[in-house]
Amino acid sequence: MSVHYATSDDTATAGSDYTSQSGTLTFAAGETSKTIEIPISDDSDAEGNETLQLTLTNAVMRIWEVRIPPL
């Protein structure tokens, strides 16, 4: 299975609060979790907690079954 991901701003701003990320995660058979690392910027601004969005799109699952007839 694979899924595309991308960050986007909410109250946090890409470039000043965090480094935006995007890509594709591919899960092997039996794998149930993945980690996406999002670098947080260390600025000197006095701010409360901020949030960003993580969007998952285009989930694709491939199921293959191959049967080989006996000879």
Side-chain angles (χ1 to χ4, degrees), residues 26-48:
T26 302
F27 292 79
E31 193 172 19
T32 60
S33 66
K34 289 284 188 181
T35 300
I36 300 170
E37 294 191 18
I38 302 170
I40 304 301
S41 301
D42 185 19
D43 60 25
S44 59
D45 296 339
E47 301 172 302

Side-chain angles (χ1 to χ4, degrees), residues 21 57 62:
Q21 300 291 307
T57 58
R62 291 187 173 88

Side-chain angles (χ1 to χ4, degrees), residues 10 16 20 24 27 31 35 40 45 50 52-53 57 64:
D10 192 357
S16 60
S20 63
T24 301
F27 292 79
E31 193 172 19
T35 300
I40 304 301
D45 296 339
E50 296 180 299
L52 57 89
Q53 299 288 321
T57 58
W64 298 93

Side-chain angles (χ1 to χ4, degrees), residues 6 9 11 15 18 21 23 27 44 47 53 56 58-60 66 68-70:
D9 294 351
T11 58
Y18 71 98
Q21 300 291 307
F27 292 79
S44 59
E47 301 172 302
Q53 299 288 321
L56 304 175
N58 299 326
V60 175
V66 177
I68 301 172

